[in-house]
């Protein structure tokens, strides 16, 4: 059993910054790619940022240049740091990770429950 738990959402003023965390726990052998998605009301879920196990990153055009996705492999944790926040960043943010289970050896994608970010004055 593997779980992902996000934290760090809330209300942020336009122009502000945020730091989301996502910690993986359970029967983990290896964590490969870790990703952040977001879904705004009425919109499809979109990929925001991704980081490989070796630290290679990529970002959606909408957040590139004002976001970073660091990871701490010792803590099985990935972060999303965003600044210059806009109202368009308002969404539920989801963490996703590709993880090989130590117990079964299977490789699967796991999702967190989501954390809501509201950018408003």
């Amino acid at each position: 059993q593997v779980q992902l738990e996000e934290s760090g959402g809330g209300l942020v003023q336009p122009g502000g910054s945020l730091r989301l965390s996502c910690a993986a726990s359970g029967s983990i052998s290896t964590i490969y790619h870790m990703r952040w998605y977001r879904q705004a009301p009425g919109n499809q879920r979109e990929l925001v940022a991704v980081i490989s196990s070796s630290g290679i990153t990529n970002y959606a055009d909408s957040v590139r240049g004002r976001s970073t996705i660091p990871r701490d492999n010792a803590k099985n944790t990935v972060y999303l740091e965003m600044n210059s926040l806009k109202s368009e960043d308002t969404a539920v943010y989801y963490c996703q990770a590709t993880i090989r289970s130590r117990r079964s050896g299977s490789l699967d994608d796991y999702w967190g429950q989501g954390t809501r970010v509201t950018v408003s004055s």
Side-chain angles (χ1 to χ4, degrees):
Q1 191 84 3
V2 174
Q3 300 87 32
L4 298 181
E5 184 171 0
E6 301 111 331
S7 60
L11 177 63
V12 185
Q13 290 193 338
S17 60
L18 64 78
R19 187 188 197 218
L20 305 179
S21 300
C22 172
S25 62
S27 180
I28 297 171
S29 172
T30 306
I31 302 177
Y32 297 95
H33 284 72
M34 303 186 83
R35 304 171 181 87
W36 285 98
Y37 286 80
R38 68 184 180 185
Q39 187 167 17
N43 290 359
Q44 291 186 333
R45 192 171 296 188
E46 63 170 348
L47 178 63
V48 175
V50 56
I51 183 167
S52 72
S53 55
S54 61
I56 298 172
T57 60
N58 201 8
Y59 301 90
D61 289 344
S62 57
V63 304
R64 184 175 289 115
R66 58 189 185 94
S67 299
T68 59
I69 181 173
R71 65 188 282 175
D72 184 335
N73 291 328
K75 296 181 178 180
N76 290 338
T77 299
V78 65
Y79 306 91
L80 180 66
E81 299 171 337
M82 296 180 64
N83 53 48
S84 302
L85 287 166
K86 313 171 186 178
S87 58
E88 305 92 275
D89 296 315
T90 295
V92 177
Y93 284 71
Y94 297 91
C95 170
Q96 187 222 37
T98 302
I99 298 175
R100 186 174 300 282
S101 168
R102 185 178 64 235
R103 180 173 300 166
S104 67
S106 64
L107 186 66
D108 294 290
D109 287 335
Y110 295 87
W111 289 86
Q113 80 288 351
T115 184
R116 185 175 300 277
V117 173
T118 302
V119 183
S120 174
S121 56

